[in-house]
Amino acid sequence: AELIVVVAGILLALGLQSWWQGRDNDARGALYQQQILADAKQTRDTYKKAIATDTNLRNVTAQLIEALHNRQSLKDEEAMAWLAWRSGWFADPRPVVGNVYALIDTGDIQLIANPKVRAAIVEYASILKGGLADIDGQPDRMRRANDSELLRFEEAGLPPKMGLRLVSDKGKYEGEFSKDYLMLYNAAWPKLQQNAQHRNVQNLRILAYDNMTSYHKEILAASEKLIATL
């Protein structure tokens, strides 16, 4: 009888420990899901803004390319269509990934009881890593184009726009753009238009904008899918 009582006590203790551990794991798993959901929503909002910014700047650059090929002289409103924006500005968003990577790297992914949710989190992490790796070279391409344009401006006797105004987070100069600069730009326009390297700079920018936007959309879609699953 004493042995039965001892064994029953041990089994009860083990059962209680297992129950408590399971409850603790469920709580930790639920907390992870809440944190990852909040991170994914923040990432979604960040990438929506980035896509809007880069798409707008891509369109501005396309207007400049069209003018370089087809406008022998500029109207003020044409030039202002792109001069009011900082050439080569681009969004540089970063996903919020700490909780996702920690969950996987520590093995705590097993705390997520639902296999569908586990698979969705692992897939999300994979897409983020792939997207960030793919986009890695695009900012450098844009910076090289920006440096090249500064040289083209110097060759045409035109000072760079940078420094004339503070720039907003959307790449647009704050306040009214300098009319004095517009006059200088119109005077330099024939040289800029004839410079093949200056035209190539704009094409490189278009390529970088298109690539970045494509990768941003991939991360945005992955974030929205994970949010729906969670």
Side-chain angles (χ1 to χ4, degrees):
E2 291 179 359
L3 179 60
I4 293 174
V5 171
V6 170
V7 171
I10 293 174
L11 292 175
L12 178 61
L14 290 174
L16 288 172
Q17 183 181 20
S18 177
W19 172 81
W20 182 260
Q21 185 65 49
R23 182 180 177 183
D24 182 60
N25 288 344
D26 289 343
R28 290 174 61 199
L31 179 59
Y32 261 123
Q33 283 191 225
Q34 292 173 5
Q35 292 171 332
I36 290 172
L37 177 59
D39 292 349
K41 287 181 177 179
Q42 184 176 342
T43 297
R44 175 197 60 192
D45 295 343
T46 297
Y47 276 80
K48 280 184 177 180
K49 292 178 181 178
I51 291 168
T53 295
D54 284 349
T55 299
N56 200 357
L57 289 165
R58 192 254 187 224
N59 293 338
V60 168
T61 305
Q63 291 175 358
L64 173 56
I65 290 175
E66 193 277 334
L68 284 169
H69 285 89
N70 299 310
R71 300 286 189 278
Q72 295 303 316
S73 61
L74 291 178
K75 297 178 181 179
D76 285 356
E77 58 269 22
E78 285 182 315
M80 288 295 288
W82 58 82
L83 282 179
W85 297 82
R86 180 169 173 175
S87 301
W89 180 272
F90 58 92
D92 190 20
R94 288 290 180 268
V96 184
V97 296
N99 287 305
V100 170
Y101 289 168
L103 185 67
I104 295 173
D105 293 343
T106 61
D108 283 348
I109 188 68
Q110 298 304 320
L111 296 175
I112 307 299
N114 189 320
K116 180 181 177 181
V117 174
R118 283 202 308 270
I121 293 173
V122 172
E123 179 186 24
Y124 181 64
S126 177
I127 291 173
L128 290 185
K129 287 183 178 180
L132 292 175
D134 289 338
I135 203 173
D136 192 47
Q138 303 310 314
D140 285 340
R141 171 178 282 162
M142 187 70 80
R143 294 185 188 101
R144 288 195 301 270
N146 295 345
D147 290 342
S148 178
E149 183 176 72
L150 289 178
L151 292 176
R152 308 292 82 79
F153 279 13
E154 184 178 342
E155 292 169 357
L158 184 67
K161 287 195 295 179
M162 286 185 285
L164 293 180
R165 291 285 188 277
L166 294 175
V167 181
S168 73
D169 61 358
K170 294 183 179 180
K172 193 167 186 177
Y173 287 87
E174 300 285 7
E176 185 178 357
F177 192 79
S178 170
K179 299 295 184 180
D180 294 335
Y181 189 87
L182 179 60
M183 183 174 63
L184 294 173
Y185 189 84
N186 280 328
W189 176 254
K191 291 182 179 179
L192 293 175
Q193 190 177 42
Q194 294 167 13
N195 192 312
Q197 290 177 306
H198 182 63
R199 295 194 300 271
N200 288 338
V201 161
Q202 314 313 322
N203 291 325
L204 284 175
R205 282 178 175 159
I206 289 289
L207 180 60
Y209 281 131
D210 286 345
N211 287 340
M212 286 190 287
T213 301
S214 175
Y215 300 137
H216 292 165
K217 286 180 178 179
E218 182 180 4
I219 292 176
L220 173 61
S223 300
E224 291 177 332
K225 181 179 179 181
L226 182 62
I227 289 169
T229 302
L230 293 175

